[in-house]
Amino acid sequence: MEKEPVMSQFNKDIKERSFDFALNTIRTCKYLKERHREFIITNQLFRSATSVGANMREAKNAESKADFIHKLAICQKECDESIYWMELLIEYIDEEKETLQPLCQEAEELLKIIKTISIRTKENVKRSKNYKC
């Protein structure tokens, strides 16, 4: 029986979306820094949002299914942290709600996708361990 590649269920769409999310977040942070002189929270958002895509890339190159699952767990945490910082910014700079809301929605969708991939991968690992010839 041929061993299934670690990335067989890795969705190209999530890689592209996490990259676009990072890029849009960078642009939004730059805008917020210039317009509102807000540096502390935007820097935190910048770090967590760009980490999602970076860890997606790491997951793509995972050495094992366990490593893949671990990288996805980091992606989940960073994505959820990004949502936190955006919610905080929405409350802090109310006039930018329309700017931040679509980005926050994309982060929530990414988080759902990442969780689904993680759950399915864990189920597949469990199923393959229970398989007996």
Side-chain angles (χ1 to χ4, degrees), residues 55-116:
N55 280 290
M56 272 297 158
R57 187 154 297 191
E58 292 232 2
K60 175 185 159 238
N61 297 306
E63 295 176 14
S64 65
K65 287 196 181 204
D67 188 33
F68 179 73
I69 292 166
H70 175 71
K71 299 293 191 242
L72 287 179
I74 295 169
C75 289
Q76 278 183 238
K77 291 177 185 180
E78 295 294 339
C79 198
D80 198 38
E81 182 180 333
S82 298
I83 293 167
Y84 171 78
W85 295 122
M86 284 184 276
E87 290 172 346
L88 201 56
L89 282 167
I90 287 168
E91 290 299 316
Y92 181 61
I93 310 172
D94 188 55
E95 66 192 73
E96 294 300 343
K97 187 174 186 169
E98 286 183 30
T99 303
L100 291 160
Q101 204 68 40
L103 199 57
C104 195
Q105 184 177 346
E106 177 64 8
E108 289 170 352
E109 289 176 20
L110 283 171
L111 184 58
K112 287 177 188 174
I113 294 167
I114 294 164
K115 283 182 179 181
T116 300

Side-chain angles (χ1 to χ4, degrees), residues 6 30 45 48 99 112 121-122:
V6 173
K30 181 180 180 206
L45 173 59
S48 61
T99 303
K112 287 177 188 174
T121 303
K122 288 174 186 175

Side-chain angles (χ1 to χ4, degrees), residues 21-22 24-30 32-33 38-52 78-90 99-100 103-104 107:
F21 171 68
N24 289 331
T25 302
I26 291 167
R27 290 178 181 134
T28 300
C29 288
K30 181 180 180 206
L32 292 172
K33 286 176 183 180
E38 202 310 298
F39 298 97
I40 296 169
I41 300 170
T42 53
N43 284 339
Q44 292 286 0
L45 173 59
F46 180 95
R47 286 185 189 98
S48 61
T50 55
S51 181
V52 175
E78 295 294 339
C79 198
D80 198 38
E81 182 180 333
S82 298
I83 293 167
Y84 171 78
W85 295 122
M86 284 184 276
E87 290 172 346
L88 201 56
L89 282 167
I90 287 168
T99 303
L100 291 160
L103 199 57
C104 195

